[in-house]
Amino acid sequence: GWEVLLCDLEAAELQAYSEAFDRMAGDARDIQPDNQALRFFFLDNTALSSDEIDLELVRISFSKQSCSIDFDDFVGVLRRMAITEKDAQGIFAKLSKDGKEAPAEECRRGLTILLWKVLRAKWPDQIVERLLDIALAEASLTVTAAQWLDMCRHVGRFVRLARYLKL
């Protein structure tokens, strides 16, 4: 349950999402970009809109000779698109005086806003506190905009995987 996600998010993602990918791909090693199950999975488990999903699938599939989506592409989309950069930047703009850095204490508050208002996660305080501790583990007194985006993506990935696993 929660403990696996908190301790090793990447491994939990690979396990859960490989089962989903295998169901969609069947015996194939990859999925065609027009696969409806794939589109619905991304709609349910990322921050992408329907139009954005089409663009993302075209971008990925045309970057490869096979014109298809493999497991690494699949997980990459789920990780990159767990939240929108716009949402993350919007919160960061309120936390930062110069748009480049923000105090780590304020970032903790900002991640709480992301969790509750943007991602609409309603979990026990001890889960939220541990998730925030993990997201902020490598932060110093200040957090850069790039570090902030990574933190937001980590929190978004956690939330989306927890929902997918129905925790």
Side-chain angles (χ1 to χ4, degrees), residues 15-59:
Q15 181 178 356
Y17 294 146
S18 69
E19 293 167 12
F21 184 85
D22 290 345
R23 278 194 307 274
M24 287 181 271
D27 293 336
R29 297 183 68 120
D30 49 19
I31 302 173
Q32 294 306 307
D34 61 350
N35 182 300
Q36 288 303 304
L38 178 67
R39 290 187 85 259
F40 287 124
F41 193 87
F42 284 154
L43 266 176
D44 288 343
N45 297 288
T46 70
L48 292 169
S49 70
S50 184
D51 291 341
E52 291 167 330
I53 288 171
D54 291 337
L55 290 172
E56 186 69 15
L57 292 174
V58 166
R59 186 187 66 74

Side-chain angles (χ1 to χ4, degrees), residues 5-144:
L5 269 64
L6 288 164
C7 292
D8 195 348
L9 179 61
E10 287 199 13
E13 285 174 319
L14 292 175
Q15 181 178 356
Y17 294 146
S18 69
E19 293 167 12
F21 184 85
D22 290 345
R23 278 194 307 274
M24 287 181 271
D27 293 336
R29 297 183 68 120
D30 49 19
I31 302 173
Q32 294 306 307
D34 61 350
N35 182 300
Q36 288 303 304
L38 178 67
R39 290 187 85 259
F40 287 124
F41 193 87
F42 284 154
L43 266 176
D44 288 343
N45 297 288
T46 70
L48 292 169
S49 70
S50 184
D51 291 341
E52 291 167 330
I53 288 171
D54 291 337
L55 290 172
E56 186 69 15
L57 292 174
V58 166
R59 186 187 66 74
I60 293 168
S61 61
F62 283 122
S63 70
K64 301 163 73 172
Q65 247 182 322
S66 65
C67 289
S68 60
I69 314 294
D70 65 20
F71 180 67
D72 290 337
D73 299 325
F74 177 72
V75 172
V77 170
L78 292 165
R79 288 177 173 164
R80 259 190 344 275
M81 304 302 178
I83 55 129
T84 67
E85 285 189 26
K86 182 180 173 189
D87 285 336
Q89 291 165 345
I91 295 170
F92 190 76
K94 294 175 184 158
L95 306 175
S96 173
K97 291 186 182 356
D98 64 3
K100 294 181 170 100
E101 294 182 332
E105 287 176 26
E106 289 297 303
C107 290
R108 187 176 191 90
R109 190 174 59 77
L111 289 173
T112 304
I113 292 168
L114 178 75
L115 259 174
W116 291 341
K117 294 193 174 171
V118 177
L119 295 167
R120 301 188 196 297
K122 304 282 187 234
W123 296 327
D125 288 345
Q126 70 265 27
I127 300 295
V128 170
E129 290 304 314
R130 289 213 31 223
L131 175 58
L132 297 179
D133 288 346
I134 292 165
L136 287 157
E138 301 197 12
S140 59
L141 292 175
T142 58
V143 172
T144 66

